[in-house]
Amino acid sequence: MADGRVERLIDTVAWVRIEGGRILCARPRGKDVFYIPGGKRECGETDLQTLLREIEEELTVALLPATVAHVGTYEAVHGPGDVPVVRMSCYTADYRGTLAASSEIEEVAWFSYADRSLVPPVDQLLFDDLVRVGRLR
């Protein structure tokens, strides 16, 4: 960057699950912010591998690989004054099992667009797109 800071990219993959005009969000243990479920890619993983692993770890369900569809990829600075940029590749998918918070997740919730301020900047970009196309109320 021009001011001497080194930009760092946090590469994530997220599962977009919408039911009744609300999107599934999760709050990890020890955090006060909700996120779209998913997580960071491990070395050499594809988006699909990351998505399947992270969602099973966080929400105890198995995504059905044949139903995975790309929604969009978003990038935003992690927060005011922060250097890291978060890239979030988002996918929809059907699943097998019962949604439940794992040991990593403190709480799950279904958010509407009115809850947009409760998620990080990169998630807010997804919320904006979803409301624009009429999928999020």
Side-chain angles (χ1 to χ4, degrees), residues 80-131:
D82 283 351
V83 177
V85 171
V86 176
R87 176 187 299 140
M88 183 173 70
S89 299
C90 299
Y91 296 86
T92 58
D94 293 333
Y95 67 95
R96 181 180 69 244
T98 302
L99 285 172
S102 71
S103 59
E104 294 180 14
I105 301 299
E106 182 75 30
E107 180 181 5
V108 294
W110 293 93
F111 282 7
S112 70
Y113 191 72
D115 301 305
R116 180 183 182 273
S117 65
L118 302 175
V119 298
V122 72
D123 296 43
Q124 291 178 9
L125 297 174
L126 171 64
F127 274 49
D128 293 344
D129 271 1
L130 293 172
V131 80

Side-chain angles (χ1 to χ4, degrees), residues 26-59:
R27 184 175 59 81
R29 292 202 184 282
K31 306 254 180 166
D32 58 358
V33 175
F34 281 85
Y35 299 89
I36 304 300
K40 296 176 189 168
R41 179 187 321 276
E42 291 183 357
C43 185
E45 276 186 328
T46 65
D47 282 6
L48 179 60
Q49 290 167 329
T50 304
L51 186 68
L52 298 176
R53 176 183 54 76
E54 284 287 344
I55 298 310
E56 186 169 4
E57 288 174 3
E58 292 184 358
L59 300 171

